[in-house]
Amino acid sequence: MQNLIFLAEGTEPTEGGHAPENPLGFVPVEFALSLVVFGLLLFLIWKFVAPRFEQTFAERTQAIEGGIAAAESKQAEADAKLAELEKQLADARHEAARIREEAREQGAQIVAEMRETAQAESTRIVEHGKAQIEAERQQAVTSLRAEVGSLATGLAGRIVGESLEDEARQSRVVERFLADLEAQTVGADNGTTPGSVN
Amino acid sequence: MFGINMAESGGEFVSPGPNSFDFSEVPLFHLGGLAVTKPMVQLVLGALVVFVFFYAAFRRATLVPGRLQFAGESAYGMVRNSIGRDIIGSHDFIKFVPYLVTLFFFILINNAFASIPAIQFPTFSRASMAYALAGLSWVIYNAVGIKKHGLLGYLKLQSVPSGVSPFMYPLLVPLEFFSNILVRPVTLALRLFANMFAGHLLLILFSTGGLFLLEYGGVGYVAGPLAWVLAIAISFLELLVQFLQAYVFTLLNAMYISGALADEH
Amino acid sequence: MDGTLNGSLNMVGYGLAAIGPGIGIGLIFAAYISGVARQPEAQGRLQSIAILGFALAEALAIIGIALAFVLS
């Protein structure tokens, strides 16, 4: 290197007694040593450090992702369960409503049925009563007719003093009497007073 | 300036220069006829520190990291993700990660030696050591490119710019070849060297200059301590530069590799 | 006062030569900063481009210092 000297006495920088080294100079020993040391370090890092780092890194990533996946599956499970429960609840509500509806219908039906039965029963009872009354009346009419006949004949026989023991005559007389009676009744309806009969 | 002071006092201020970086006259010891100097020892020490740190951090690597492992993982992960993955791309960055990590931390610790007490010499201010790293990275990125594209394909990739009319080729092709193949390793090495060299020179200048001014007396009682304050400030600046140079060296390596791997330029 | 001022003229030349790359690097990072300020999400892409530009510009300064030491 050329030293340009301004002003007066030049001083050669000869400290140490040897010519100044160019700082850019090539020193084979240092070059080789640097390559070797760096190469060795690179090999060691490559061999011992990098795989472990990548392994740990991958494991951690996997652990985190696995945790996330597990949490997600748990969440999905919980969601499914919740949905199922809600569905069940809805079903139960629906069922309850249905049962209530059914019960109401059934109740209405029962009431209607009972009302109908009671109606029928009352009708039947009324009919039965009517029939009984009719039958009793009929009976009474029949027995009355027989009794009235015998009473009347007895009474007439006693009055006319005539024995009416003859059956045929007796019955003919009664019949005639009754027919007269009936005709009288009809006549009474027309306002005519029946005459005394024999 | 110092020359003027020196002339008045009669004292001799030896300004720091390239000689301050020449240890060939003061080897620490001899190893089979080879003079082992301080930078050489530092180089080995730096490599040891890097390896021991990472080996200890990952020796018993667990899923939940301890303090040391966390530090190691943060350091490794920073280079791996912010330099390797972001620059080279997630497809094939993984096989370059050990190289980038080694490069970054090897340079970083050797740069940091400039600020570590009792060592206080940046290893890569010895240019030859920087040449070695730059040469290695030159070999690696070219080899990667040639392996992927073939020799001719790689040369075409690196020296024929796309999107330029062919009439410009005679001008641009030599220029691109020159800048992509020839200049890159030189600038890589010299950037690292020059930054470390200049930073260390500044530190020597301010600290020895401050001492000289104190001994000189007079105005030196004010200027000397001022120089030392400046030296402290510059030390912090140097810490930044040390990190930055290691980062830039590694980042550029990653970019060169990614450029060599690129499909279309 | 017969002080001396000695040194290498190469270094003066290098100092002059470093002005250009210095301005260039300043411009690169100014553009980078304003780019990131406008679009913070583009930082990742811009950073690598900025560093590449910085490396290319700084290469000139580095060639300068090499020549300053080598030329005699």
Side-chain angles (χ1 to χ4, degrees):
Chain A
M1 191 199 314
Q2 182 193 36
N3 281 335
L4 221 102
I5 298 150
F6 299 95
L7 300 177
E9 69 263 302
T11 47
E12 278 291 305
T14 50
E15 189 229 351
H18 71 292
E21 179 205 49
N22 189 336
L24 288 178
F26 182 75
V27 183
V29 176
E30 290 182 348
F31 184 86
L33 183 76
S34 185
L35 265 187
V36 168
V37 168
F38 181 78
L40 217 63
L41 180 63
L42 178 57
F43 172 77
L44 290 175
I45 295 274
W46 201 304
K47 187 91 180 157
F48 294 111
V49 173
R52 285 191 196 170
F53 176 84
E54 295 298 337
Q55 191 192 345
T56 318
F57 196 70
E59 272 173 9
R60 187 169 304 143
T61 309
Q62 200 186 8
I64 290 167
E65 275 176 358
I68 288 170
E72 271 174 356
S73 79
K74 279 257 165 59
Q75 182 70 42
E77 206 175 300
D79 282 352
K81 237 175 210 152
L82 186 64
E84 196 184 331
L85 284 177
E86 269 175 358
K87 190 169 162 291
Q88 273 177 4
L89 189 63
D91 279 359
R93 281 216 183 100
H94 191 71
E95 180 79 9
R98 196 180 62 75
I99 286 169
R100 241 194 337 262
E101 193 62 30
E102 212 173 56
R104 191 178 296 131
E105 267 175 21
Q106 251 171 20
Q109 197 182 347
I110 285 167
V111 166
E113 257 173 24
M114 280 173 74
R115 186 175 291 144
E116 200 174 319
T117 316
Q119 193 87 38
E121 185 77 356
S122 74
T123 314
R124 196 181 59 76
I125 288 166
V126 166
E127 287 298 317
H128 183 67
K130 269 184 185 160
Q132 203 164 5
I133 287 166
E134 180 66 23
E136 270 172 13
R137 195 181 63 93
Q138 206 68 43
Q139 202 179 349
V141 164
T142 310
S143 73
L144 207 61
R145 180 171 289 179
E147 234 166 90
V148 162
S150 69
L151 266 178
T153 22
L155 193 59
R158 215 170 289 157
I159 292 170
V160 287
E162 182 189 0
S163 178
L164 290 173
E165 257 151 46
D166 184 7
E167 192 71 33
R169 261 174 72 196
Q170 190 178 353
S171 129
R172 203 169 56 233
V173 169
V174 170
E175 287 298 326
R176 200 177 62 229
F177 170 74
L178 280 178
D180 284 351
L181 203 68
E182 271 169 16
Q184 203 180 355
T185 319
V186 173
D189 279 353
N190 293 337
T192 51
T193 314
S196 86
V197 281
N198 157 304
Chain B
M1 180 71 193
F2 293 121
I4 291 164
N5 289 337
M6 168 180 72
E8 271 181 330
S9 73
E12 183 82 6
F13 178 70
V14 182
S15 77
N19 279 334
S20 310
F21 296 85
D22 187 4
F23 289 85
S24 61
E25 291 297 303
V26 280
L28 293 178
F29 54 90
H30 288 268
L31 200 72
L34 179 71
V36 178
T37 59
K38 187 178 167 187
M40 298 184 191
V41 175
Q42 281 179 218
L43 204 69
V44 177
L45 187 65
L48 270 177
V49 167
V50 171
F51 178 68
V52 165
F53 170 67
F54 277 115
Y55 188 73
F58 290 111
R59 189 162 47 110
R60 281 191 294 274
T62 51
L63 222 55
V64 180
R67 199 170 297 171
L68 184 65
Q69 194 192 340
F70 181 73
E73 277 182 9
S74 307
Y76 194 101
M78 185 198 72
V79 176
R80 176 186 186 272
N81 297 335
S82 81
I83 298 181
R85 194 180 56 198
D86 289 359
I87 303 292
I88 300 180
S90 54
H91 184 246
D92 37 21
F93 78 103
I94 207 86
K95 61 186 168 206
F96 299 108
V97 167
Y99 170 65
L100 296 176
V101 169
T102 312
L103 198 60
F104 179 77
F105 289 101
F106 187 59
I107 294 174
L108 185 65
I109 190 74
N110 276 306
N111 286 352
F113 280 152
S115 299
I116 291 174
I119 299 177
Q120 285 175 323
F121 183 78
T123 318
F124 289 111
S125 61
R126 300 294 302 166
S128 304
M129 297 184 170
Y131 294 159
L133 292 192
L136 188 67
S137 65
W138 183 79
V139 169
I140 284 176
Y141 84 79
N142 283 324
V144 162
I146 290 171
K147 192 181 166 197
K148 172 151 185 186
H149 301 284
L151 183 60
L152 283 178
Y154 176 66
L155 285 178
K156 184 171 175 294
L157 176 78
Q158 289 288 41
S159 48
V160 180
S162 65
V164 177
S165 86
F167 298 109
M168 296 291 279
Y169 280 176
L171 185 65
L172 284 180
V173 167
L175 201 65
E176 286 278 309
F177 180 82
F178 181 72
S179 107
N180 285 344
I181 307 288
L182 298 182
V183 172
R184 275 178 178 182
V186 178
T187 56
L188 263 185
L190 288 182
R191 177 180 300 111
L192 180 58
F193 154 76
N195 274 287
M196 290 302 107
F197 182 86
H200 190 56
L201 205 60
L202 263 181
L203 279 178
I204 300 176
L205 180 65
F206 274 90
S207 36
T208 59
L211 184 65
F212 177 79
L213 283 172
L214 270 182
E215 284 172 347
Y216 176 69
V219 73
Y221 286 126
V222 180
L226 200 67
W228 279 348
V229 169
L230 268 175
I232 292 167
I234 289 171
S235 301
F236 282 106
L237 180 71
E238 280 308 300
L239 284 176
L240 177 69
V241 169
Q242 287 155 16
F243 177 83
L244 207 65
Q245 287 310 312
Y247 182 75
V248 165
F249 198 101
T250 316
L251 190 73
L252 285 174
N253 260 280
M255 287 174 94
Y256 294 161
I257 289 172
S258 123
L261 285 173
D263 288 323
E264 278 298 311
H265 199 44
Chain C
M1 221 181 187
D2 58 341
T4 62
L5 192 66
N6 55 32
S8 169
L9 191 56
N10 284 349
M11 289 303 158
V12 179
Y14 171 62
L16 291 175
I19 295 173
I23 294 171
I25 292 167
L27 287 177
I28 288 166
F29 279 103
Y32 168 63
I33 290 166
S34 62
V36 172
R38 275 184 199 168
Q39 267 184 296
E41 68 273 12
Q43 194 201 358
R45 282 176 58 78
L46 289 180
Q47 187 179 24
S48 56
I49 297 170
I51 296 279
L52 187 67
F54 158 74
L56 289 176
E58 207 199 19
L60 297 175
I62 287 164
I63 292 168
I65 203 172
L67 294 182
F69 277 116
V70 170
L71 291 184
S72 60

